[in-house]
C-alpha cells in the first residue's frame, strides 16, 4: 500500500528508471548487439569508438559494445537472483532463531564470524578451493547477505515480540510461528526493502571487484567487472575500452542507491 | 478572548506574566494554540487545565522559547515589561532558569544519571553567576532542605538512581528554585508519581509559594490536583480559553458546558460513612472460581544468584464467575504482575494459579493455548496494543483465525457484531490503527478481547493513557459490556476512583502482598488497614473547599517519626 506510493517520488522514479534501463539492456541487448560476444572481427584491432564499433574493439578484435551488452546478464543474475536468495535464507534464519534464546545466541555468533571476515579475502580463499567462476561469485554474495539480513530481522523480532499486540495474540493462543508470520515479518518489511536495495548495489560492486581480481568470470566470457579489468590493462593504449562497462556499473549502483534512499526517507515520514 | 484573564479583577498585586493572543501553529491544518490570553499575578498558583491537544504544554513552552522546531508563535508574552516572544537564545538564557524556571513531568529523565545531585545543583548555581565551590555547596544544602529532603548532608552526594521517584521530583524542584525564580512553570509535575507521593509534592508546591512568593503556572489534566493547589483556573480546549476564574467559583458554578463536562467526568470515591452493610455483590454459586490464586509468589531476577526480587509474595485471591475484581496499589505493588500471571505471561515461583479450577502452570503448552480461548487481555497503551500493519478488522478477527473458528463470512459477521458492541461504525474495520484516536483504539482492543467470548478478562490499566472525558466513556462501555457478556474481570488500576466505578470487589496491594480486600464499597467506604486509609486520603478531591492532602502528609510524617 505505502510502497507503491513511495516508489512514485521523483528520486525513486529516477532510480527505477536507471535500474530499468540497465535491466532492459541486459534482456534485449544481445539481440541488438551487432556482433557475437566472442566473435573476432577481421582487421579491427583496438580501433577507437566509431559508427561501426561504438565502444571500439579490444586487443583480440572483439566488439566491446557487443561484449558489454552480453556481460550485463551476469550482473543481473548476481543482483536479482543471488541477493534475493541470500536475503531469503537470512530472513528465515533470523526469524526462526531469534525467538529461542539458545538458537539466537549461536546463530548470531556465527553471523559475527562471517561478517568479521573481509569479503574479498573470503572470496579469494573460496576461489582457491572451488576455483574461480560465476558460482564462486554467487556463493560469496549469498554467504555475505545471509548474516546481513539475518541480523536485521533478528532486531525486529526482538522489538516486536515485546509489543502488547503480540502479547494479546499469545494470550489468545497464538504460537511463535503465528506471531512471526503475522506480526513480526510484516512489521520488518520496511527496513528489509531498504537493505535489499543497498545489498543489490553492493553485489554489483563485488562482482566487478572479483572479476577484476580474476577470481570471478573467466575469459573469454564477458562480465562488467572482467571487461573493466581488461580495459585497465590497456589503459594507456586504448582508454576507451573500460568506459562503457564502467558507466553501466555506475548507472546500476546509482539507480539502486536512489531507490533505497527514497524508501528509507519514506519510512521516516 | 482578548482581555488578559483576571488582569482587571484585582489591582493590588502586579502581573508577573501576561500572555496575550498567543497563537502557535505547525505545518498542520489546525493550530496547536489558537488564541490564548492569560496573566499570572505575583505569588499566585494558576492552573492551566485541559485534555491532550488543548495547547497547555505548548503555551508553557512558548514562555521559555522551548517550542519544537517548525512551530511559529505570534501574539505577546510579557514577563513584567519584557516581551519574551522573539527574543534571541542569548537573551532568553538570561531569563531561563534565573527568573523563570521549569519543572517537567518525568523526574526520571530530568536528572543526569551519572552525576550526584549535589553536582547538578552546583552546576545550576554556577551557570548563573560566579559563586565559590563552598558557597555553592552550602546553597545546595539549603535548597535540599527547602524541598524537604531528609538528611540533605547525606543525600547531596547521592546519585539520582539512589532516590525514589518523589525524592527525584523534589530535587528537580530544588534545581528549578536554585536561582530564586519569580515564576515557576510546572508541566504535569505529579502525573508520573503515585498518589501518596503526589500529595506530598502538592503540599510542597504550596509551601514554596508561601515561603518565597514565587508565582506558579501549573499545567495539569487532573481536576483534583487543581482543586488542591490552584488559586485560579484557566480551562483550555483545542488551543482556546474556554473559561477562567477563581478555583472555588469555577468548581462551584462552572459556566461553560465543557468545564461542566470535565468536572462531571471526574470519578469520585465513596465518602466515609457512605457504606451501608448491604447485600454483598454477586454471590458465587459455581463450584469453581473463574480464577483463583492460591498463595502465589513471583520473583524477578535470577534466583540462582540469590538476587531474586520478590514481586508478589503469598497472595491468595478468588474471582467468582462474572465478578469484577479491582487490583489497586502504587507502583511496585505487584498488581500488574498478578494480572500477567493469570495470562501465563510471567513465571510462577510458588503457589498455584487456577483458571476455572484447572492448574494453569501444570497444563501442557497445547492445553494452555486452549485455556487461552477463555481468557483475554487488554493493555494500557493504546498506541501499542494494535498491530500498526493490520487493519482494525484483522486485529479483532485474529483470535478467531488462531483457533480457526467459523468460516470467513462468519468471522466477518462476528467482527461487525463486536464493533457494534463497542459502539463503533462497521466501516472502521477497514481502517488502520493510526487513523483512530486513543479511545477508539482501546474500544477495538476490548472488541478483540471479547471476540472468543472469554469467561475471564485481564484489564491492565485500560484507561490510564486516556483523557478524562474519554476515560469516562470507555469505563461506561466496559460496564455495559461486562453486564452484556457476563465475563469475570481482573481490573488493574492505580486510580482508586476508576476501580470504584467498575469493580465489585477490590484487593489493595502493597509490596507484593494483599493488604486488604473485600467489596468495593466496604474497602473504600470503611477502610480498615492504615495503608488503605492513607491511599484514599491522598487522592485529590475535586472540591477546593476540602483540601485534604495537608492532613495526609501530616499522617505520613507521624507514621515515619
Amino acid at each position: 500500500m505505502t510502497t507503491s506510493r513511495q516508489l512514485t517520488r521523483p528520486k525513486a522514479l529516477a532510480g527505477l528508471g536507471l535500474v530499468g534501463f540497465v535491466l532492459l539492456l541486459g534482456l534485449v541487448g544481445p539481440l541488438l548487439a551487432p556482433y557475437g560476444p566472442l566473435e573476432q572481427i577481421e582487421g579491427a584491432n583496438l580501433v577507437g569508438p566509431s559508427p561501426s564499433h561504438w565502444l571500439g574493439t579490444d586487443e583480440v578484435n572483439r566488439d566491446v559494445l557487443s561484449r558489454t551488452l552480453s556481460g550485463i546478464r551476469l550482473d543481473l543474475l548476481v543482483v536479482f537472483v543471488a541477493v534475493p536468495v541470500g536475503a531469503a535464507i537470512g530472513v528465515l534464519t533470523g526469524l526462526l532463531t531469534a525467538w529461542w534464546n539458545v538458537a539466537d545466541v549461536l546463530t548470531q555468533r556465527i553471523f559475527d564470524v562471517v561478517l568479521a571476515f573481509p569479503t574479498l579475502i573470503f572470496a579469494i580463499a573460496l576461489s582457491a578451493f572451488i576455483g574461480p567462476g560465476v558460482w564462486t561469485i554467487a556463493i560469496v554474495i549469498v554467504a555475505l547477505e545471509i548474516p546481513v539480513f539475518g541480523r536485521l530481522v533478528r532486531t525486529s523480532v526482538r522489538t516486536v515480540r515485546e509489543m502488547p499486540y503480540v502479547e494479546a495474540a499469545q494470550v489468545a493462543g497464538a504460537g511463535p510461528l503465528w506471531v512471526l508470520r503475522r506480526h513480526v515479518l510484516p512489521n520488518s518489511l520496511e527496513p528489509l526493502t531498504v537493505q535489499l536495495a543497498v545489498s543489490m548495489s553492493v553485489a554489483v560492486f563485488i562482482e566487478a571487484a572479483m572479476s577484476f581480481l580474476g577470481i570471478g568470470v573467466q575469459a573469454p566470457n564477458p562480465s562488467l567487472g572482467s571487461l573493466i579489468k581488461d580495459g585497465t590493462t590497456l589503459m594507456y593504449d586504448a582508454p576507451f575500452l573500460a568506459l562503457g562497462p564502467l558507466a553501466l556499473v555506475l548507472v546500476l549502483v546509482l539507480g539502486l542507491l536512489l531507490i533505497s534512499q527514497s524508501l528509507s526517507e519514506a519510512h521516516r515520514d | 478572548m482578548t482581555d488578559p484573564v483576571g488582569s482587571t479583577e484585582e489591582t493590588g498585586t502586579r502581573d508577573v506574566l501576561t500572555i496575550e493572543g498567543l497563537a502557535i501553529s505547525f505545518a498542520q491544518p489546525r493550530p496547536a494554540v489558537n488564541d490564548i490570553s492569560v496573566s499570572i499575578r505575583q505569588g499566585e498558583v494558576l492552573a492551566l487545565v485541559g485534555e491532550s491537544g488543548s495547547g497547555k504544554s505548548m503555551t508553557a513552552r512558548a514562555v521559555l522559547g522551548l517550542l519544537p522546531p517548525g512551530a511559529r508563535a505570534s501574539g505577546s508574552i510579557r514577563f513584567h515589561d519584557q516581551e519574551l516572544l522573539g527574543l534571541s537564545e542569548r537573551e532568553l538564557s538570561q531569563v531561563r532558569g534565573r527568573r523563570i524556571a521549569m519543572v517537567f513531568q518525568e523526574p526520571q529523565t530530568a536528572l543526569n544519571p551519572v552525576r550526584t545531585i549535589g553536582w547538578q545543583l552546583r552546576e545550576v548555581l554556577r551557570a548563573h553567576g560566579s559563586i565559590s565551590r563552598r558557597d555553592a555547596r552550602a546553597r545546595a544544602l539549603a535548597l535540599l532542605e527547602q524541598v524537604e529532603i531528609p538528611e540533605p548532608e547525606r543525600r547531596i552526594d547521592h546519585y539520582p538512581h539512589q532516590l525514589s521517584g518523589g525524592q527525584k521530583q523534589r530535587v528537580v524542584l530544588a534545581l528549578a528554585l536554585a536561582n530564586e525564580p519569580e515564576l515557576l512553570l510546572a508541566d504535569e509535575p505529579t502525573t508520573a508519581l503515585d498518589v501518596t507521593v503526589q500529595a506530598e509534592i502538592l503540599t510542597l508546591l504550596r509551601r514554596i509559594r508561601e515561603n518565597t512568593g514565587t508565582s506558579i503556572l501549573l499545567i495539569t489534566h487532573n481536576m483534583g490536583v487543581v482543586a488542591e493547589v490552584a488559586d485560579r483556573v484557566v480551562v483550555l480546549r483545542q488551543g482556546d480559553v474556554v473559561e477562567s476564574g477563581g478555583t472555588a467559583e469555577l468548581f462551584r458554578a462552572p459556566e461553560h458546558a465543557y468545564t461542566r463536562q470535565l468536572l462531571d467526568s471526574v470519578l469520585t470515591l465513596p465518602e466515609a460513612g457512605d457504606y451501608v452493610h448491604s447485600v454483598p455483590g454477586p454471590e458465587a454459586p459455581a463450584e469453581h472460581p473463574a480464577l483463583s490464586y492460591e498463595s502465589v509468589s513471583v520473583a524477578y531476577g535470577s534466583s540462582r544468584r540469590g538476587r531474586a526480587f520478590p514481586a508478589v509474595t503469598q497472595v491468595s485471591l478468588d474471582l467468582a464467575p462474572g465478578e469484577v475484581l479491582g487490583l489497586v496499589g502504587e507502583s511496585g505493588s505487584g498488581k500488574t504482575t498478578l494480572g500477567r500471571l493469570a495470562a501465563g505471561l510471567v513465571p510462577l515461583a510458588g503457589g498455584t494459579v487456577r483458571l476455572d479450577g484447572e492448574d494453569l502452570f501444570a497444563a501442557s503448552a497445547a492445553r494452555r493455548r486452549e485455556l487461552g480461548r477463555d481468557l483475554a487481555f487488554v493493555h494500557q497503551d493504546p498506541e501499542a496494543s494494535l498491530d500498526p500493519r493490520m487493519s482494525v478488522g484483522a486485529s479483532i478477527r485474529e483470535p478467531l483465525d488462531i483457533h480457526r473458528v467459523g468460516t470467513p463470512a462468519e468471522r466477518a459477521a462476528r467482527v461487525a457484531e463486536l464493533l457494534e458492541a463497542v459502539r463503533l461504525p462497521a466501516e472502521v474495520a477497514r481502517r488502520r490503527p493510526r487513523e483512530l484516536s486513543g479511545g477508539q483504539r482501546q474500544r477495538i482492543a476490548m472488541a478483540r478481547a471479547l471476540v472468543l467470548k472469554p469467561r475471564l478478562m485481564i484489564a491492565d490499566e485500560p484507561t490510564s493513557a486516556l483523557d478524562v472525558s474519554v476515560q469516562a466513556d470507555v469505563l461506561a462501555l466496559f460496564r455495559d459490556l461486562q453486564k452484556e457478556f457476563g465475563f469475570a474481570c481482573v481490573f488493574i488500576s492505580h486510580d482508586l476512583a476508576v476501580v470504584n466505578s467498575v469493580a465489585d470487589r477490590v484487593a489493595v496491594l502493597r509490596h507484593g502482598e494483599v493488604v486488604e480486600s473485600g467489596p468495593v464499597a466496604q474497602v473504600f467506604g470503611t477502610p480498615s488497614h492504615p495503608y488503605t486509609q492513607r491511599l484514599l486520603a491522598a487522592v485529590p478531591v475535586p472540591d477546593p473547599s476540602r483540601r485534604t492532602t495537608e492532613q495526609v502528609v501530616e499522617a505520613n510524617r507521624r507514621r515515619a517519626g
Side-chain angles (χ1 to χ4, degrees), chain B residues 30-48:
Chain B
R30 196 174 65 79
V33 170
N34 194 26
D35 179 7
I36 288 183
S37 301
V38 171
S39 68
I40 307 163
R41 287 185 291 261
Q42 172 127 38
E44 180 181 55
V45 178
L46 178 77
L48 279 186

Side-chain angles (χ1 to χ4, degrees), chain A residues 158-182:
Chain A
R158 291 272 151 170
T159 324
V160 175
R161 69 185 282 180
E162 301 296 328
M163 299 303 282
Y165 55 79
V166 167
E167 264 183 9
Q170 285 178 300
V171 169
L177 290 180
W178 177 281
V179 170
L180 291 173
R181 189 164 57 86
R182 299 283 300 251

Side-chain angles (χ1 to χ4, degrees), chain B residues 278-298:
Chain B
S278 59
V279 202
E283 204 55 59
E287 56 263 55
H288 294 309
L291 166 71
S292 71
Y293 298 105
E294 291 166 18
S295 58
V296 292
S297 300
V298 177

Side-chain angles (χ1 to χ4, degrees), chain A residues 77-94:
Chain A
L77 190 78
V78 161
V79 166
F80 293 106
V81 179
V83 173
V85 166
I89 301 176
V91 167
L92 275 179
T93 322

Side-chain angles (χ1 to χ4, degrees), chain B residues 293-353:
Chain B
Y293 298 105
E294 291 166 18
S295 58
V296 292
S297 300
V298 177
Y300 286 130
S302 166
S303 53
R304 264 173 302 170
R305 279 178 244 159
R307 266 187 281 153
F309 168 78
V312 170
T313 29
Q314 299 281 323
V315 167
S316 295
L317 283 169
D318 278 345
L319 178 62
E323 184 185 40
V324 180
L325 171 70
L327 292 184
V328 298
E330 301 191 290
S331 42
S333 63
K335 56 188 191 302
T336 294
T337 307
L338 267 182
R340 297 173 62 83
L341 190 64
L345 291 169
V346 287
L348 185 68
T352 318
V353 179

Side-chain angles (χ1 to χ4, degrees), chain B residues 9 65 166 191 202 209 230 232 252 257 301 306 325 404 442 459 505:
Chain B
E9 285 172 24
T191 305
L202 291 180
R209 190 266 305 263
R232 281 193 310 130
R252 198 177 54 238
L325 171 70
R404 300 203 182 87
Q442 286 305 68
R505 280 196 312 134

Side-chain angles (χ1 to χ4, degrees), chain A residues 67-267:
Chain A
R67 284 178 68 71
T68 307
L69 287 172
S70 105
I72 293 172
R73 289 200 154 187
L74 185 104
D75 285 75
L76 294 183
L77 190 78
V78 161
V79 166
F80 293 106
V81 179
V83 173
V85 166
I89 301 176
V91 167
L92 275 179
T93 322
L95 272 183
L96 292 179
T97 56
W99 196 270
W100 294 274
N101 284 327
V102 176
D104 178 54
V105 169
L106 284 175
T107 320
Q108 293 302 321
R109 293 300 80 76
I110 295 170
F111 286 173
D112 284 346
V113 172
V114 177
L115 284 176
F117 234 85
T119 311
L120 283 177
I121 307 278
F122 175 63
I124 292 167
L126 189 71
S127 73
F129 283 102
I130 63 171
V134 179
W135 278 104
T136 318
I137 300 177
I139 292 173
V140 166
I141 288 172
V142 169
L144 176 76
E145 296 306 337
I146 290 175
V148 169
F149 282 87
R151 179 162 294 181
L152 194 65
V153 91
R154 183 245 183 198
T155 317
S156 299
V157 176
R158 291 272 151 170
T159 324
V160 175
R161 69 185 282 180
E162 301 296 328
M163 299 303 282
Y165 55 79
V166 167
E167 264 183 9
Q170 285 178 300
V171 169
L177 290 180
W178 177 281
V179 170
L180 291 173
R181 189 164 57 86
R182 299 283 300 251
H183 296 289
V184 176
L185 195 56
N187 276 295
S188 46
L189 279 183
E190 291 193 345
L192 287 178
T193 52
V194 176
Q195 183 59 46
L196 198 62
V198 171
S199 287
M200 284 176 168
S201 66
V202 171
V204 175
F205 240 76
I206 293 175
E207 186 282 317
M210 283 179 69
S211 296
F212 183 86
L213 290 175
I215 53 175
V217 173
Q218 294 300 293
N221 291 324
S223 78
L224 293 180
S226 62
L227 287 169
I228 295 168
K229 181 194 80 175
D230 295 347
T232 48
T233 55
L234 292 169
M235 184 90 90
Y236 295 103
D237 302 311
F240 50 84
L241 282 181
L243 283 182
L246 268 176
L248 280 175
V249 170
L250 187 76
V251 166
L252 192 55
V253 171
L254 183 68
L256 289 168
L257 286 178
L258 280 174
I259 294 174
S260 82
Q261 215 178 52
S262 59
L263 283 175
S264 63
E265 275 168 15
H267 297 163

